[in-house]
């Protein structure tokens, strides 16, 4: 590592000497930004990068999609080892612990301060900021694409059972699904039980009910945290979902089965789903003609003192080992993204939510949420700000959490296939998940999270 650092120091010194010798019309400083979005979202990121480059003449960000989140993180690790890492990289939420322990980054707050930018970090919504901050509140990365899940409900179908609002409690959900079934709807509600649905089914449910997923305040207080969702209300929740599935009130929908949840809802096949606010635009563009629908916060069990939901998505990390000139460019880029006008562009074209209060206020002042196709997305902000984050609802700091999510999918499928009971499946999830956490802890001996 010292050789790499020496190499970067030499490069930085050389770059400085060259820069001083250049005329005022020198070419802009280029720096790389790697991200994990694809398809339409990748095209929006490309436009965002072009907008930044056109906004000034000193820097040029070169933006490259790595295809998906997992590939982005793995490619970045490999590139760093080879001394060819990008200056800025997008890392998904569950990669936060890995990045914190890597030491391969330049803290975002220090980067901005060193380059003359004054960022009001209290402007970030607390539920978003605390996911990417240290235990002391220091911002290590910049929140970027952020989302949270909502309940999507078919207003036409609910009208047929005499309802004008979405169910607010899980007890109401059960009654409404039965009423929809009795009214002739074959698929009252669709869910998926794959690894990715851990985010909606386990993580968000636990946060809203202020129930821990793991000890040590979901891992924030130490790498020796261990899972404990087999002792919380999550067991009751899975029990109810399985009961409704057995009664035909819930159908499993996934791409592997020919139609995913969003497609099932937009086509009118299923009347209720839980998915990211990021899918709001997709439903609007692909919905059955004339279908009336809306979104609401996820339900909670009766008597629950509702807490904030968790932020999903990713943040932007600035990596170590780059030149001062590249860091200046990175700071200018992050400042550009932080601008409320950029928040309006980003949310308009993606469905992701603004990450700052000023961005949200600016969008409201522009009438963004007043009518379709964007009306309803403000519910996501209400969900994220339902409470001041608690020690549990500020986020999850567990290593190798993607592997734990995969184990979640395995055990949920076993439960729904009647291979194990609900309790047995969740107990196995905890046992196997703890083994994953053990391996992660051994990878970082004597280290603590910042």
């Amino acid at each position: 590592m010292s050789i790499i650092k020496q190499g970067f120091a030499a490069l930085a010194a050389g770059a400085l000497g060259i820069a001083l010798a250049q005329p005022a019309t020198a070419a802009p400083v280029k720096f790389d930004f790697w991200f994990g979005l694809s398809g339409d979202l990748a095209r929006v990121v490309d436009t965002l990068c072009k907008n930044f480059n056109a906004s000034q003449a000193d820097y040029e960000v070169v933006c490259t999609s790595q295809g998906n989140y997992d590939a982005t993180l793995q490619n970045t690790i490999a590139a760093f080892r080879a001394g060819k890492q990008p200056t800025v990289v997008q890392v998904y939420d569950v990669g936060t612990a890995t990045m914190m322990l890597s030491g391969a980054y330049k803290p975002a707050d220090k980067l901005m301060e060193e380059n003359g930018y004054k960022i009001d970090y209290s402007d970030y919504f607390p539920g978003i900021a605390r996911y990417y901050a240290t235990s002391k509140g220091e911002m290590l990365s910049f929140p970027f694409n952020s989302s949270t899940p909502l309940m999507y409900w078919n207003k036409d179908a609910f009208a047929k059972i005499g309802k004008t609002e979405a169910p607010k409690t899980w007890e109401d959900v059960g009654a409404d699904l039965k009423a929809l079934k009795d009214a002739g709807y074959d698929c009252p509600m669709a869910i998926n039980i794959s690894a990715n649905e851990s985010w909606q089914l386990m993580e968000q449910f636990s946060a809203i009910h202020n129930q821990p997923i793991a000890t040590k305040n979901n891992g924030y207080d130490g790498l020796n945290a261990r899972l404990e969702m087999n002792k919380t209300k999550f067991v009751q929740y899975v029990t109810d979902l399985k009961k409704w599935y057995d009664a035909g009130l819930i159908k499993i929908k996934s791409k592997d089965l020919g139609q995913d949840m969003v497609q099932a809802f937009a086509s009118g096949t299923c009347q209720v789903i839980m998915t990211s606010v990021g899918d709001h635009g997709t439903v609007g563009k692909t919905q059955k003609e004339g279908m009336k629908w809306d979104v609401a916060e996820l339900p909670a069990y009766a008597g629950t003192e509702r807490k904030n939901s968790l932020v999903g998505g990713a943040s932007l990390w600035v990596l170590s080992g780059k030149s001062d000139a590249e860091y200046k460019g990175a700071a200018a880029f992050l400042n550009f993204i932080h601008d409320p006008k950029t928040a309006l562009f980003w949310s308009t074209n993606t469905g992701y939510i603004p990450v700052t209060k000023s961005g949200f206020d600016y969008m409201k002042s522009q009438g963004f949420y007043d009518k379709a196709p964007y009306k309803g997305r403000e519910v996501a902000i209400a969900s994220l700000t339902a409470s001041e984050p608690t020690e549990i609802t500020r986020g999850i700091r567990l290593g190798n959490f993607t592997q734990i999510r995969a184990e979640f999918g395995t055990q949920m499928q076993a439960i729904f296939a009647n291979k194990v009971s609900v309790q047995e499946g969740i107990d196995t999830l905890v046992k196997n998940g703890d083994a994953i956490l053990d391996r992660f802890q051994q990878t970082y001996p004597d280290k603590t999270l910042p």
Side-chain angles (χ1 to χ4, degrees), residues 12 21 40 84 101 105 128 151 172 185 195 201 208 210 264 276 298 328 338 343 347 352 369 382 392 402 420 442:
D40 288 340
K84 298 180 180 180
L101 292 170
Y105 60 88
I128 295 176
M151 172 170 276
D172 289 340
Y185 290 100
L201 296 180
I208 289 169
N210 205 32
S276 169
L298 297 186
K328 288 182 181 297
H338 181 261
S347 294
Y352 288 115
Y369 298 105
I392 291 173
T402 52
V420 296
Q442 292 167 12

Side-chain angles (χ1 to χ4, degrees), residues 89-139:
V89 63
Q90 178 194 33
V91 178
Y92 58 169
D93 47 5
V94 295
T96 301
T98 298
M99 288 300 298
M100 284 182 166
L101 292 170
S102 72
Y105 60 88
K106 188 175 182 67
D109 52 2
K110 292 183 179 179
L111 172 82
M112 301 307 284
E113 181 181 358
E114 289 173 0
N115 288 281
Y117 295 99
K118 294 183 179 180
I119 305 296
D120 179 8
Y121 294 102
S122 66
D123 186 35
Y124 284 96
F125 289 112
I128 295 176
R130 294 188 186 182
Y131 203 111
Y132 302 113
T134 68
S135 58
K136 297 178 180 179
E138 301 160 328
M139 292 295 288

Side-chain angles (χ1 to χ4, degrees), residues 29-343:
V29 174
K30 289 187 177 182
F31 63 95
D32 288 312
F33 167 40
W34 288 3
F35 62 94
L37 302 175
S38 59
D40 288 340
L41 292 175
R43 286 187 280 274
V44 177
V45 175
D46 286 337
T47 301
L48 179 69
C49 294
K50 290 176 182 177
N51 290 346
F52 168 73
N53 290 338
S55 71
Q56 44 74 50
D58 295 326
Y59 311 103
E60 180 183 343
V61 61
V62 179
C63 302
T64 307
S65 171
Q66 303 298 307
N68 58 59
Y69 288 144
D70 285 334
T72 301
L73 184 56
Q74 295 306 315
N75 292 347
T76 298
I77 292 171
F80 196 92
R81 289 171 177 165
K84 298 180 180 180
Q85 70 271 28
T87 305
V88 182
V89 63
Q90 178 194 33
V91 178
Y92 58 169
D93 47 5
V94 295
T96 301
T98 298
M99 288 300 298
M100 284 182 166
L101 292 170
S102 72
Y105 60 88
K106 188 175 182 67
D109 52 2
K110 292 183 179 179
L111 172 82
M112 301 307 284
E113 181 181 358
E114 289 173 0
N115 288 281
Y117 295 99
K118 294 183 179 180
I119 305 296
D120 179 8
Y121 294 102
S122 66
D123 186 35
Y124 284 96
F125 289 112
I128 295 176
R130 294 188 186 182
Y131 203 111
Y132 302 113
T134 68
S135 58
K136 297 178 180 179
E138 301 160 328
M139 292 295 288
L140 300 185
S141 62
F142 258 54
F144 182 45
N145 55 307
S146 294
S147 61
T148 206
L150 299 173
M151 172 170 276
Y152 291 63
W153 60 291
N154 188 315
K155 297 176 73 173
D156 296 326
F158 273 76
K160 290 188 177 180
I161 62 171
K163 295 295 183 71
T164 59
E165 293 184 344
K168 291 182 172 59
T169 69
W170 282 109
E171 290 85 353
D172 289 340
V173 170
D176 289 349
L177 295 184
K178 185 178 186 307
L180 288 168
K181 187 73 172 181
D182 292 343
Y185 290 100
D186 181 62
C187 177
M189 181 176 181
I191 64 171
N192 191 354
I193 52 175
S194 69
N196 290 337
E197 302 315 309
S198 166
W199 184 63
Q200 274 119 248
L201 296 180
M202 182 174 71
E203 298 158 42
Q204 301 293 343
F205 172 87
S206 298
I208 289 169
H209 291 79
N210 205 32
Q211 299 281 290
I213 286 178
T215 60
K216 299 288 183 177
N217 289 322
N218 282 345
Y220 271 74
D221 297 341
L223 297 184
N224 58 338
R226 294 298 178 262
L227 302 180
E228 59 176 341
M229 73 285 285
N230 59 337
K231 304 173 184 176
T232 71
K233 288 183 180 178
F234 179 65
V235 177
Q236 177 188 351
Y237 179 48
V238 177
T239 299
D240 284 339
L241 291 177
K242 178 62 165 56
K243 177 181 66 177
W244 297 332
Y245 172 77
D246 290 341
L249 308 183
I250 286 178
K251 303 284 186 180
I252 295 176
K253 295 289 183 179
S254 68
K255 288 182 179 179
D256 293 340
L257 299 175
Q259 188 182 47
D260 64 29
M261 291 189 302
V262 175
Q263 293 169 333
F265 179 77
S267 66
T269 302
C270 299
Q271 314 315 313
V272 178
I273 61 171
M274 296 179 293
T275 189
S276 169
V277 64
D279 288 320
H280 194 276
T282 301
V283 172
K285 293 174 184 176
T286 62
Q287 69 175 73
K288 179 181 178 181
E289 186 176 357
M291 186 178 87
K292 296 182 180 64
W293 59 279
D294 207 344
V295 291
E297 294 180 56
L298 297 186
Y301 278 109
T304 298
E305 184 181 345
R306 186 187 184 88
K307 301 300 181 181
N308 62 282
S309 59
L310 300 179
V311 63
S315 64
L316 303 184
W317 292 78
V318 177
L319 300 182
S320 57
K322 310 305 288 188
S323 69
D324 288 344
E326 288 170 302
Y327 284 142
K328 288 182 181 297
F333 183 54
L334 294 180
N335 189 62
F336 175 82
I337 288 174
H338 181 261
D339 190 292
K341 295 183 180 63
T342 303

